[in-house]
């Protein structure tokens, strides 16, 4: 693509953002940035340091000690992971995908200084490049000037079902009931938090993926990109 294009994808847990964003990135040969992975890494570091996710002061106190690197899996790293995440040089790509890390990330992402550090990093990653970035506040906070903003959603039932399958694929078993509670708790927290709550950007294109296949969603987004490039 000649023109630089930034695509912001937001939406609640289980809407299908990661799968779709990765596929679109591949189709368009642009960089994919999974911002949730960064909040997960902060949650993991707090856990490794013996700090409660609920303790804002102590979690924030860790920020200066956190060095994060995200990259496409290369060589031996191609073990089914979607992304390589290095936390202070340690490969935590699988560790951050464990079920409790989603909950931990959802809690620590409420803190102002955590968000400031990661938003800054996310903007740096997008600078001067064509990217597709997914998260909760990409269209509203991280890249409000993005050329294309998509808000993906799906019913709670559908999202909980997808979580069960995704966890199973990674060898982590969760029941449908547990997945539904997780989806509802995270929705509630992320839509109602004070700083950068989850909401569609005014100029976003809304996509309900409940009854759409991954291919259908990818095609719709690629079509939108073609219209503006
Ligand atoms: O997309 P995910 O499930 O990997 O994200 C983990 C948590 O991180 C999510 O529950 C909320 C938080 N998050 C956020 O607050 N802002 C983002 N841009 C991305 C994720």
């Amino acid at each position: 693509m000649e023109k630089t294009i930034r695509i912001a994808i937001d939406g609640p847990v289980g809407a299908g953002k990661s799968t779709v964003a990765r596929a679109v990135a591949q189709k368009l040969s642009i960089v994919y940035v999974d911002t949730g992975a960064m909040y997960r890494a902060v949650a993991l570091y707090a856990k490794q340091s013996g700090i409660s996710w609920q303790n804002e002061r102590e979690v924030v106190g860790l920020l200066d000690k956190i060095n994060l690197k995200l990259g496409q899996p290369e060589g031996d790293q191609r073990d089914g992971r979607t992304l390589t995440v290095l936390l202070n040089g340690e490969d935590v790509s699988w560790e951050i995908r464990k079920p409790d890390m989603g909950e931990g990330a959802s809690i620590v992402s409420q803190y102002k200084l955590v968000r400031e550090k990661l938003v800054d990093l996310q903007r740096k990653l997008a600078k001067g490049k064509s990217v597709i970035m997914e998260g909760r506040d990409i269209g509203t906070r991280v890249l409000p000037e993005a050329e294309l903003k998509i808000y993906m959603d799906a019913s709670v039932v559908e999202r909980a079902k997808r979580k069960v399958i995704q966890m199973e694929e990674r060898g982590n078993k969760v029941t449908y009931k547990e997945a539904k509670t997780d989806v509802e708790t995270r929705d509630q927290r992320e839509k109602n938090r004070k700083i950068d709550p989850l909401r569609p950007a005014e100029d976003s294109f809304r996509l309900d993926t409940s009854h759409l296949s991954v291919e259908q969603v990818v095609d719709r987004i690629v079509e939108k990109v073609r219209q503006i490039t």
Side-chain angles (χ1 to χ4, degrees):
M1 226 168 350
E2 280 151 39
K3 195 176 142 192
T4 302
I5 180 165
R6 287 153 300 180
I7 309 171
I9 308 233
D10 291 300
V13 55
K17 304 183 299 291
S18 305
T19 315
V20 165
R22 257 196 337 267
V24 173
Q26 240 176 9
K27 265 203 167 166
L28 301 176
S29 302
I30 62 176
V31 175
Y32 161 61
V33 184
D34 167 5
T35 62
M38 302 181 188
Y39 292 95
R40 284 168 181 266
V42 172
L44 176 64
Y45 193 64
K47 192 176 172 186
Q48 289 175 341
S49 311
I51 285 171
S52 158
W53 294 323
Q54 314 287 351
N55 190 329
E56 176 168 0
R57 198 175 48 82
E58 291 197 352
V59 170
V60 163
L62 293 175
L63 289 174
D64 282 344
K65 299 185 199 149
I66 296 180
N67 179 12
L68 280 179
K69 287 212 165 60
L70 272 71
Q72 305 303 316
E74 286 168 11
D76 287 355
Q77 298 170 345
R78 292 208 186 96
D79 55 4
R81 68 182 62 184
T82 54
L83 187 75
T84 291
V85 180
L86 299 181
L87 168 61
N88 297 335
E90 183 196 350
D91 187 344
V92 295
S93 314
W94 287 109
E95 201 66 23
I96 59 165
R97 299 297 166 194
K98 297 215 166 125
D100 60 333
M101 287 305 136
E103 171 71 3
S106 176
I107 296 170
V108 301
S109 66
Q110 297 175 99
Y111 307 146
K112 185 167 180 270
L113 293 176
V114 170
R115 301 205 69 83
E116 275 178 11
K117 173 170 172 132
L118 297 189
V119 167
D120 200 44
L121 188 60
Q122 290 152 15
R123 287 185 179 145
K124 281 188 185 131
L125 287 174
K127 215 174 165 98
K129 292 186 204 116
S130 284
V131 289
I132 181 161
M133 191 177 278
E134 55 113 342
R136 304 291 189 285
D137 59 340
I138 312 305
T140 53
R141 165 71 63 197
V142 183
L143 302 175
E145 71 293 356
E147 284 78 12
L148 179 61
K149 300 177 192 172
I150 314 270
Y151 188 85
M152 280 174 58
D153 209 344
S155 67
V156 170
V157 170
E158 191 55 42
R159 292 190 285 128
K161 281 191 202 157
R162 289 177 189 169
K163 273 279 136 194
V164 173
I165 297 170
Q166 194 185 60
M167 284 297 157
E168 223 165 63
E169 283 169 358
R170 294 183 187 144
N172 298 308
K173 246 192 141 30
V174 293
T175 63
Y176 171 76
K177 205 165 158 239
E178 284 165 347
K180 186 161 174 278
T181 305
D182 180 51
V183 162
E184 285 169 342
T185 311
R186 282 164 69 181
D187 278 5
Q188 170 73 13
R189 193 184 289 125
E190 287 156 25
K191 288 180 179 171
N192 296 306
R193 69 183 175 209
K194 285 199 201 81
I195 309 156
D196 298 337
L198 170 64
R199 62 186 164 80
E202 269 170 34
D203 50 351
S204 63
F205 171 63
R206 324 271 164 107
L207 208 49
D208 186 325
T209 67
S210 304
H211 307 289
L212 295 176
S213 67
V214 171
E215 293 71 36
Q216 284 173 318
V217 179
V218 170
D219 286 349
R220 284 196 196 184
I221 296 177
V222 170
E223 193 186 303
K224 284 258 158 212
V225 174
R226 303 270 184 239
Q227 284 167 6
I228 57 171
T229 49

